[in-house]
Amino acid sequence: MIDTRQTVIRGRIQTIVTLVISILVFAALFIGIRSYEERVAVQAIRLAIEHRVDNVDYEMAGKAKDIDTLWAVYGPQKELTEQEFYRLADPIVASHHTYLPLFIALMGGGLTFVMLGMGVGMAVRARQLHKVLEYKELELQQSQEKLASVTVTDELTGLANGRHFNQVLSTECRRAVREFSPLTLMLIEIDKVDAEQLPDNFVDQQVGLVAEVLKGAISRPGDMAARVSGSRFAMVLPATNEQSPVLADRLCRDLHDIEVAGHPLSVSIGTSTLQPSALLTAENILQQTEAALSEAQQNGGGLVRARTEDPRDIPVTFSN
């Protein structure tokens, strides 16, 4: 955010600097124009008295800038005494001293103050606007990042959500066929606990514990764990062969060793591994995995059922 205190201090400093510059401009204009007026008056005096005296250095007289310098050139001579010189010079000087230098100096100083103040103000506002835009852009970027995270992440577990799971599964199926590698999908569902009284957050505790175990089971960048519904999870394991049931058995045992409110954490797991072929689609692998999971649940739960495809029995393959 913009520091208001620093902005006020900078504004005061800029005002003082603008005022000082304006005063300098006023002084320069006033002194310059007043000096010009005096030089004009000196030349007028020279023209008025040069016919009265002889033996005058006209070159030095033409260079005189003030009355005293002019008197040093013309006098003293018997034709022109100092008293007569100043009696003649004073009215001419007075006639050439007007309010014009003051008026022009005031106008110049005032315009300098106004124009410089406007320029500085516009620069300050532009800088403040730039800072505001930078801050808003940062806020927008953070909001977009947060929105993107919310869009693909399950709020309770931090795993990918069901929508993102569907996108990744479809992508990985196409990649597996293109790269000619197997793909494994696991569906893990928490078995229901047959008890009369359970804590209010019992299910949330179960879900959180399963999520932590699944996170620990992911060891490669391409692997993904997701929470696809209330108590159902999924793992997408690219380039994983038909030995995936071993991983499923280990997960089942590890979860069963965990207790929640005195009840072991029982899960049913269905897993399927398909080789790269025309049958390796998101719909097909999901259907086979759901069938394996249903079989595990129907046999009492806490079991693993696997449907794996041997690479020697691959149907006609294709690449796209």
Side-chain angles (χ1 to χ4, degrees):
M1 292 294 291
I2 298 175
D3 190 336
T4 305
R5 183 179 178 183
Q6 290 186 357
T7 302
V8 172
I9 294 174
R10 289 197 193 100
R12 290 176 179 174
I13 293 174
Q14 290 161 356
T15 302
I16 292 172
V17 171
T18 302
L19 182 60
V20 170
I21 294 174
S22 301
I23 292 173
L24 292 176
V25 171
F26 167 82
L29 287 172
F30 182 78
I31 294 172
I33 298 174
R34 180 53 60 89
S35 298
Y36 175 76
E37 280 189 341
E38 188 167 357
R39 290 188 64 181
V40 172
V42 166
Q43 296 306 313
I45 296 169
R46 182 178 66 81
L47 293 174
I49 65 175
E50 66 180 359
H51 67 281
R52 299 181 55 179
V53 295
D54 299 324
N55 301 322
V56 175
D57 187 342
Y58 291 105
E59 183 178 354
M60 289 191 64
K63 294 180 179 179
K65 297 181 179 180
D66 56 57
I67 300 174
D68 293 335
T69 304
L70 186 64
W71 167 246
V73 175
Y74 278 97
Q77 297 186 34
K78 70 177 181 178
E79 296 89 353
L80 184 67
T81 64
E82 183 176 359
Q83 184 178 5
E84 291 176 341
F85 173 81
Y86 280 103
R87 187 173 62 248
L88 179 65
D90 286 343
I92 297 175
V93 171
S95 67
H96 283 79
H97 280 184
T98 66
Y99 290 106
L100 183 62
L102 179 62
F103 177 75
I104 294 176
L106 286 172
M107 289 291 294
L111 285 174
T112 300
F113 182 81
V114 172
M115 298 302 294
L116 190 59
M118 290 177 61
V120 171
M122 291 177 64
V124 170
R125 285 191 291 272
R127 186 167 59 248
Q128 291 176 345
L129 179 60
H130 182 67
K131 289 183 178 180
V132 170
L133 289 175
E134 285 184 342
Y135 179 74
K136 293 299 181 183
E137 285 178 0
L138 179 61
E139 277 191 333
L140 179 60
Q141 182 179 356
Q142 292 174 344
S143 299
Q144 289 175 339
E145 291 175 354
K146 185 176 181 181
L147 179 61
S149 175
V150 171
T151 302
V152 302
T153 305
D154 177 67
E155 185 176 356
L156 178 61
T157 62
L159 299 176
N161 58 22
R163 177 184 177 188
H164 189 51
F165 160 73
N166 291 330
Q167 295 173 345
V168 171
L169 180 61
S170 180
T171 300
E172 291 300 333
C173 286
R174 292 194 298 270
R175 180 181 289 117
V177 173
R178 186 171 60 251
E179 297 178 357
F180 206 69
S181 62
L183 179 67
T184 293
L185 173 64
M186 285 188 193
L187 291 178
I188 304 103
E189 185 155 359
I190 301 173
D191 296 325
K192 293 182 179 180
V193 176
D194 187 14
E196 294 183 358
Q197 292 185 345
L198 293 171
D200 293 338
N201 61 344
F202 180 75
V203 175
D204 287 348
Q205 290 184 47
Q206 287 183 312
V207 168
L209 290 170
V210 172
E212 292 302 316
V213 173
L214 295 184
K215 289 177 185 177
I218 294 176
S219 57
R220 301 177 304 174
D223 296 344
M224 186 194 75
R227 183 189 180 198
V228 295
S229 64
S231 59
R232 178 174 291 193
F233 299 83
M235 291 183 70
V236 180
L237 307 172
T240 304
N241 60 25
E242 62 275 10
Q243 298 301 318
S244 57
V246 176
L247 173 61
D249 285 330
R250 186 170 70 248
L251 286 174
C252 193
R253 291 194 304 270
D254 292 344
L255 289 168
H256 196 271
D257 292 337
I258 300 173
E259 288 192 356
V260 181
H263 299 278
L265 185 53
S266 176
V267 297
S268 297
I269 301 178
T271 179
S272 60
T273 300
L274 296 186
Q275 301 299 324
S277 72
L279 298 179
L280 181 48
T281 63
E283 294 77 9
N284 192 28
I285 194 171
L286 187 59
Q287 181 180 5
Q288 293 201 34
T289 309
E290 285 180 340
L293 174 63
S294 178
E295 183 180 343
Q297 291 173 324
Q298 291 174 1
N299 282 275
L303 301 173
V304 174
R305 289 293 181 265
R307 297 189 177 189
T308 59
E309 192 173 58
D310 194 296
R312 293 170 294 182
D313 299 330
I314 306 176
V316 177
T317 60
F318 69 102
S319 176
N320 58 7

